[in-house]
Amino acid sequence: MLFDRNSWGVRVCRRAIKTGGLTGLFLWLCVQPDAQPVLSERTQISLLTCSPSDRAVYTLYGHTAVRVHGQIVTDSVRRDDIDIVFNYGVFDTSRPNFIYHFARGETDYMLAYDRYGDFLTDYIMRGSEVFEQTLNLTPREKETLWQALLLNAEARNRNYRYNFFYDNCSTRPVAVLERCLDGEIQFHETPSGSFREMINRCTRDHPWLTFGCDLVLGLPTDRTATFRESFFLPENVRKAFTGAEVLRPDGERVPLVSAERVLVEEIPDGETEKTFFTPLACSLTVFLLTLSATLYGWRKKRRCRALDGLLFFCAGVAGCILFFLCFVSEHPGIRPNLSVGWLHPFHLAGVVLFAVKKLKKAAYYYHFINFAALLSTCCAWIFLPQHLNMAFIPLAASLLIRSGYGIFGKRRNIG
């Protein structure tokens, strides 16, 4: 959900007039520069954690938001009921060249707010669990946090440069909360795995997404994340808040969370549908077809240039995408990427060499260099510090076979 300040405010005001709802009127007041309502003492602020769902790629990792529930005081006598949710996970897919900017790591997210009921309805429709943790804050801390959220929600402040690992909808609420506390949060730290392991746990039921993540995410994602770095996943934040304490300046320790409850039960999607067309199955099929065509060409003394052209063209295009992400994108965890050892743009140059008969000698040298590089990569596979998906092996072996055929086939005067 995205909105323009003026048009959205007008819609909220009209809704408040039609329904008599004070929540809509409150939201309208919040965007006015002269209206700065304060919280009543009974108002509660809580952290909402929404479990992952299969609705879209960006919902597979869950979500975190902040709920403010109670009353605001707009003047000396007036008190209005409020129940709103502040959400740092809003982005605009209609922005020009959105995919290009996303690939470059130039995606801007924003802080938006919505009625609690509307927010909850969205996650009920997704089938996600919504877990609430009421924060154990003093009136002063509540007010400080409230004013910080209002300030961040202003049009001039609400946009921020999204970073999947270090600055996202899950890490931002924690950072804002820590700045507003009169004390320091003491977490009971637990061991965490690498960034890649945590991501792959989220995508375990989506093998093609796991394949894509393993391909584009480089060596840095195989580093073991610190306890705080694991907060990029909402579920890790929820677990960390349970049992956490606030150490006050006077040495007193108080629980960070005063109450926990499930607002919405998760609706299981049922058994994941099994499919034969997994990345590993498809890559093995490519390998077997390549091997069969190579053996056939060896017997018939044929070059099979069409096969080389198709195989190396696909590898070259994928290599261009990988090269772009490695050297142009600002996304963290992308570079260095050891997958460029077998998947790179130079395969496109090989396609040209294979197609032109006058360049047979240059094609031979290309095959020789490529064969040595691929053989080294395959031999060092289990020793590489970067995790490489098992489905990569048959694909790399297919390229290896064709380059080997290009070397040894020349000696038999094939093609």
Side-chain angles (χ1 to χ4, degrees):
M1 181 192 69
L2 295 173
F3 48 80
D4 174 76
R5 173 177 176 176
N6 294 324
S7 61
W8 181 78
V10 170
R11 291 199 304 271
V12 169
C13 189
R14 288 173 180 171
R15 186 187 302 168
I17 293 173
K18 288 182 180 180
T19 63
L22 294 177
T23 301
L25 180 59
F26 159 72
L27 292 174
W28 170 250
L29 290 173
C30 285
V31 297
Q32 303 307 310
D34 296 330
Q36 287 296 329
V38 298
L39 298 180
S40 69
E41 294 183 0
R42 295 184 178 181
T43 300
Q44 299 292 330
I45 300 180
S46 57
L47 189 79
L48 301 182
T49 303
C50 308
S51 66
S53 81
D54 293 332
R55 183 177 180 180
V57 172
Y58 60 86
T59 65
L60 289 174
Y61 305 98
H63 187 53
T64 299
V66 179
R67 180 189 182 190
V68 182
H69 177 217
Q71 290 184 326
I72 55 169
V73 181
T74 53
D75 54 43
S76 58
V77 295
R78 181 172 177 175
R79 291 173 177 260
D80 293 329
D81 293 330
I82 61 167
D83 198 351
I84 60 172
V85 175
F86 288 86
N87 178 3
Y88 282 94
V90 179
F91 59 94
D92 185 3
T93 56
S94 65
R95 177 188 175 189
N97 303 313
F98 176 82
I99 298 298
Y100 171 76
H101 288 292
F102 181 84
R104 285 206 60 182
E106 297 176 344
T107 308
D108 288 332
Y109 274 48
M110 69 170 65
L111 169 63
Y113 42 83
D114 198 5
R115 295 182 180 185
Y116 166 72
D118 294 338
F119 177 87
L120 210 61
T121 299
D122 185 33
Y123 284 90
I124 291 174
M125 295 177 65
R126 294 185 188 187
S128 296
E129 177 189 85
V130 181
F131 191 83
E132 182 177 38
Q133 294 172 296
T134 303
L135 301 177
N136 185 25
L137 306 177
T138 65
R140 177 182 174 181
E141 290 171 336
K142 292 178 187 177
E143 186 60 34
T144 303
L145 179 56
W146 164 249
Q147 295 299 333
L149 291 171
L150 289 182
L151 181 64
N152 287 345
E154 291 181 4
R156 59 194 174 104
N157 301 324
R158 67 189 180 198
N159 294 306
Y160 70 97
R161 180 54 52 88
Y162 175 80
N163 185 308
F164 181 71
F165 288 133
Y166 305 115
D167 195 359
N168 64 13
C169 68
S170 180
T171 63
R172 284 238 158 186
V174 179
V176 173
L177 173 63
E178 288 184 315
R179 290 195 297 269
C180 298
L181 286 178
D182 185 20
E184 179 184 357
I185 301 179
Q186 301 285 311
F187 294 105
H188 299 293
E189 298 191 11
T190 56
S192 58
S194 68
F195 291 100
R196 192 186 302 274
E197 289 171 344
M198 288 186 279
I199 290 173
N200 286 353
R201 279 198 296 269
C202 296
T203 62
R204 61 187 178 274
D205 295 328
H206 303 269
W208 282 104
L209 183 57
T210 302
F211 175 86
C213 290
D214 282 342
L215 183 63
V216 302
L217 294 176
L219 183 59
T221 57
D222 289 285
R223 174 177 64 84
T224 300
T226 66
F227 176 74
R228 292 303 301 266
E229 288 173 339
S230 71
F231 286 4
F232 78 96
L233 289 178
E235 181 62 19
N236 292 339
V237 175
R238 183 190 72 80
K239 292 178 179 178
F241 273 41
T242 299
E245 297 177 321
V246 178
L247 178 61
R248 301 295 188 192
D250 60 2
E252 180 187 10
R253 290 179 176 270
V254 297
L256 174 62
V257 174
S258 60
E260 297 181 336
R261 61 172 177 157
V262 176
L263 299 174
V264 176
E265 295 283 353
E266 183 175 5
I267 301 176
D269 294 326
E271 293 186 6
T272 303
E273 185 178 352
K274 302 297 182 181
T275 175
F276 173 77
F277 297 102
T278 63
L280 183 58
C282 291
S283 63
L284 284 172
T285 301
V286 171
F287 172 75
L288 292 176
L289 291 175
T290 301
L291 181 61
S292 299
T294 301
L295 293 175
Y296 177 81
W298 183 267
R299 292 195 204 98
K300 299 294 183 179
K301 291 189 176 183
R302 294 180 181 178
R303 175 65 66 182
C304 300
R305 287 189 176 88
L307 175 61
D308 285 341
L310 177 62
L311 197 62
F312 282 84
F313 176 79
C314 293
V317 171
C320 288
I321 297 173
L322 202 60
F323 185 88
F324 173 85
L325 293 173
C326 284
F327 298 101
V328 179
S329 175
E330 298 178 8
H331 279 295
I334 296 292
R335 56 182 176 269
N337 191 334
L338 302 185
S339 290
V340 297
W342 69 277
L343 206 60
H344 49 74
F346 298 111
H347 289 315
L348 292 178
V351 174
V352 177
L353 297 178
F354 308 151
V356 181
K357 288 188 176 181
K358 293 183 179 180
L359 299 176
K360 288 175 60 176
K361 188 174 183 180
Y364 172 80
Y365 287 122
Y366 175 84
H367 277 309
F368 186 86
I369 296 172
N370 190 55
F371 182 84
L374 288 170
L375 186 61
S376 300
T377 301
C378 291
C379 291
W381 201 278
I382 61 174
F383 303 106
L384 294 176
Q386 177 179 324
H387 167 78
L388 298 176
N389 195 290
M390 288 295 294
F392 297 168
I393 297 178
L395 297 177
S398 299
L399 297 172
L400 180 67
I401 288 174
R402 293 309 301 171
S403 282
Y405 185 71
I407 296 171
F408 298 105
K410 181 178 176 59
R411 297 181 180 180
R412 290 190 63 189
N413 296 318
I414 296 177

